[in-house]
Amino acid sequence: MTARLVFLTGSRAGTAYDLKEEDESIGRKSDRTIRFGSEDVLVSAMHATLLYRDGQYVLRDDGSRNATFVNAEKSTERELQDGDRVQFGAGGPGARFILRAVIDASPTLDPQDLAEAAEILRRTKPAEAPVGSLSTASRALTTTREMVVMVVRRSKRTRRWLMAVAAVTIGAITTIVIVQQRARASLEKTLSDLSVSLAAEQASRSALEQDLAVVQAQADSLRTVVESEQLDPRIDPAAIREYSRGVALIVFTYGYVQQNGSELLRYVVDGRGGIEMSPAAAGQSVPSITFGGPGPPVQHQGTATGFLIDTAGFLLTNRHVAIPWDEDEQLRAMNANGLGVKGQFIDLRAFSPPGGDAHQLVVEATASNADVALLRILGPRVDAPTLPLASDIHAAKPGDDLVLIGYPTGVQNLLFRVDREERGVMMQRAGGDARRLAEQLAQRRLIQPLVTNGSISDTTGREVIHTASTTVGGSGGPLIDLDERVVAVHYASVRSPLPGDPFQTQRGVKVKFVWPILPARVRRSIEDTTSRR
């Protein structure tokens, strides 16, 4: 192996590809040797080719739609040098070209075969069984004991007492060193296992992520539904428009920390600022990770809906929004293997229509028996209306009409409020970061929820099953009945388990499960406000 591409952004971020002494084709088409995922929409199907010529690699653009760049310069054909940064499309995925005879790295970890990785780790990681360190410590204890015996035999009583104290002190220090060595070895093994788990999860997740074309199809479908619907004449359109100002877009980012720690799990960066990689079999690599340090955190992002219920800044949403890692299968798998990791918010904020400043949020309470949660806005009060909740005794019945207000597909749907060119500029500036996209939308005052009509199909003891159209991102939206009261909080779109069956139901949690998690003061305030309306 003489060269490598280390991917820094895009669907392959956190991996590396070892180049062979032959031509390599690059693009999204299935026959490319270096293939990008469908979510990398700025990469062409047949984007570029790496030509191998007399020990050198030449990057040639194959007439791609968005061009190929080397060190931020548009290039048609260019010989690559060690350390060059290449980018496939303006704002597209980037990688660093590394050319050297030997690449130093830690033990091999293959994310495609966890069993093999575990065996490799067991055979190659001496820190896991620090025999040398323990034997050195044992020799130190033996030598100390022999010295003490010799001196005691030749010393007076006072001298014997002083030497005993010294022996105890030396023994205590040696014990501390041994404990620290064992703790360090355990942490290193934990991080190695966690790196394998993260790499395997990243590989499986890439197959599930949606590209921009799919999101656009969802947004267009929802727009068609909204445009074809007429708001029920029995529901005051002015009231719904007013309530919409109290429905916020929630954007969150979370990472991982140790159960008893506070340092975030982060990628290790090299001297060039790129992610440090550990090579694995079959030309694959896994990123090096550690708790703390200057590298970017291992993180996940999401969007949802929340609505204001009190002038003090309390918002209702779903429990799976307030505790997003509670449904993180990767986290469960890590802890099942004894890694002792928990989720922690890196950022949690709300964007109120039509935009402006974002509001920092904290989690106040979550229900244990239903998918609802209470959040609170930090800082000044928000200039937005509060939505009235239906009383405990109010019964939502099948056949009742209602409307749903929310942010299906999150920031992606809002992006289609601008033209294609401006959308591309915004996406390039954000680099795929949902919070940065939301901030740009807020600056343009484009934060606006969708309102869809529907009716109640059925009810259970906990749920309202309805027909108001929505999709991912609409979680936490209020379901409002003809009395202009929130009767439920939307939480899921459930598809038929039968293959090929398009049947789908929309589900919300009855508002009666919200009341128990409200602080007494907030509950009294809402009841007083509701009684005056």
Side-chain angles (χ1 to χ4, degrees):
M1 176 189 64
T2 58
R4 163 183 292 175
L5 278 180
V6 178
F7 295 95
L8 307 175
T9 59
S11 62
R12 297 177 65 101
T15 67
Y17 184 85
D18 294 330
L19 300 173
K20 308 174 186 65
E21 293 183 354
E22 60 186 41
D23 295 351
E24 305 274 8
S25 57
I26 303 169
R28 289 194 289 126
K29 196 174 179 181
S30 60
D31 63 354
R32 302 293 90 180
T33 55
I34 302 177
R35 184 185 177 191
F36 285 93
S38 59
E39 59 268 45
D40 293 312
V41 295
L42 297 178
V43 179
S44 298
M46 296 181 289
H47 196 105
T49 301
L50 262 176
L51 306 170
Y52 183 75
R53 298 291 183 270
D54 300 324
Q56 300 295 324
Y57 288 91
V58 177
L59 181 62
R60 182 190 70 198
D61 184 85
D62 292 339
S64 63
R65 183 179 68 254
N66 296 304
T68 302
F69 298 82
V70 178
N71 298 328
E73 295 181 359
K74 186 176 180 180
S75 301
T76 302
E77 186 169 313
R78 179 165 171 173
E79 182 178 304
L80 295 182
Q81 303 297 324
D82 183 34
D84 282 349
R85 177 161 180 161
V86 298
Q87 188 172 36
F88 304 100
R96 191 176 298 281
F97 177 79
I98 298 176
L99 179 64
R100 50 188 171 182
V102 179
I103 297 180
D104 297 326
S106 55
T108 296
L109 299 173
D110 186 354
Q112 305 301 324
D113 190 344
L114 298 183
E116 181 182 345
E119 176 62 18
I120 292 173
L121 181 64
R122 184 187 68 78
R123 288 188 286 104
T124 61
K125 196 166 186 60
E128 185 175 339
V131 177
S133 298
L134 291 177
S135 60
T136 300
S138 299
R139 286 195 299 271
L141 283 171
T142 302
T143 302
T144 301
R145 185 169 59 252
E146 291 172 352
M147 289 177 59
V148 170
V149 171
M150 179 182 66
V151 174
V152 166
R153 289 175 176 175
R154 299 181 181 181
S155 301
K156 296 181 179 179
R157 180 177 301 176
T158 301
R159 196 165 190 139
R160 288 201 302 269
W161 180 82
L162 291 174
M163 292 305 301
V165 172
V168 171
T169 301
I170 294 173
I173 293 174
T174 305
T175 301
I176 292 172
V177 170
I178 294 172
V179 171
Q180 288 177 339
Q181 289 173 338
R182 288 177 175 174
R184 187 180 301 110
S186 176
L187 179 59
E188 289 177 355
K189 180 181 182 302
T190 295
L191 291 174
S192 296
D193 291 344
L194 184 53
S195 181
V196 173
S197 177
L198 287 170
E201 187 271 343
Q202 185 182 42
S204 63
R205 176 171 295 194
S206 63
L208 301 176
E209 291 180 342
Q210 299 172 321
D211 63 20
L212 189 59
V214 174
V215 174
Q216 182 167 10
Q218 289 182 332
D220 291 343
S221 175
L222 280 167
R223 189 178 297 108
T224 301
V225 170
V226 173
E227 292 174 350
S228 64
E229 290 182 342
Q230 295 293 326
L231 193 62
D232 193 305
R234 293 170 294 176
I235 300 178
D236 183 4
I240 296 302
R241 285 194 296 271
E242 180 69 4
Y243 288 164
S244 294
R245 293 199 306 111
V247 180
L249 170 67
I250 296 175
V251 181
F252 61 83
T253 304
Y254 74 89
Y256 303 106
V257 297
Q258 290 178 290
Q259 291 288 352
N260 298 319
S262 59
E263 293 284 359
L264 282 167
L265 183 67
R266 296 177 180 273
Y267 292 107
V268 178
V269 293
D270 57 25
R272 301 175 184 270
I275 297 175
E276 188 175 291
M277 305 298 297
S278 298
Q284 298 294 320
S285 297
V286 294
S288 300
I289 55 177
T290 186
F291 287 101
V298 177
Q299 64 182 33
H300 303 285
Q301 284 193 321
T303 61
T305 303
F307 58 98
L308 201 62
I309 62 169
D310 181 76
T311 55
F314 287 92
L315 285 86
L316 280 179
T317 188
N318 297 132
R319 182 179 62 196
H320 73 257
V321 176
I323 317 175
W325 50 84
D326 199 38
E327 299 182 358
D328 189 334
E329 293 297 333
Q330 174 189 331
L331 181 60
R332 293 177 185 176
M334 289 189 289
N335 285 329
N337 290 318
L339 298 180
V341 180
K342 65 181 180 181
Q344 178 176 291
F345 277 120
I346 298 174
D347 190 68
L348 176 62
R349 62 185 65 198
F351 295 83
S352 297
D357 296 332
H359 311 289
Q360 294 290 342
L361 297 172
V362 293
V363 178
E364 283 289 319
T366 59
S368 60
N369 59 346
D371 195 355
V372 289
L374 184 68
L375 308 181
R376 180 170 56 86
I377 293 175
L378 298 177
R381 293 190 176 188
V382 180
D383 181 19
T386 60
L387 279 65
L389 303 182
S391 64
D392 290 341
I393 61 174
H394 183 90
K397 303 180 296 298
D400 287 353
D401 292 319
L402 44 73
V403 296
L404 171 62
I405 308 176
Y407 294 87
T409 73
V411 293
Q412 303 293 353
N413 181 54
L414 298 177
L415 272 176
F416 294 105
R417 295 176 179 271
V418 299
D419 59 42
R420 184 183 184 89
E421 183 176 351
E422 186 177 5
R423 187 190 314 157
V425 172
M426 293 173 64
M427 293 179 65
Q428 183 174 355
R429 289 176 179 173
D433 187 280
R435 181 176 63 82
R436 292 177 184 172
L437 278 173
E439 288 173 345
Q440 292 185 65
L441 290 163
Q443 291 171 4
R444 292 166 171 80
R445 303 187 72 77
L446 294 175
I447 305 295
Q448 182 62 44
L450 281 178
V451 179
T452 54
N453 278 339
S455 61
I456 298 176
S457 305
D458 197 4
T459 62
T460 67
R462 179 178 288 107
E463 297 178 329
V464 168
I465 303 171
H466 64 93
T467 63
S469 301
T470 190
T471 185
V472 177
S475 294
L479 287 159
I480 303 172
D481 69 358
L482 295 179
D483 294 327
E484 299 173 7
R485 299 283 190 272
V486 178
V487 296
V489 182
H490 177 77
Y491 80 93
S493 299
V494 181
R495 294 186 178 276
S496 169
L498 301 177
D501 187 353
F503 182 73
Q504 177 175 306
T505 62
Q506 309 290 349
R507 295 172 180 262
V509 178
K510 289 182 175 179
V511 77
K512 70 178 185 179
F513 289 93
V514 169
W515 290 99
I517 66 173
L518 300 180
R521 181 191 62 77
V522 175
R523 181 166 183 161
R524 286 194 301 269
S525 174
I526 294 174
E527 290 172 340
D528 291 343
T529 303
T530 302
S531 65
R532 291 195 298 269
R533 285 179 171 171

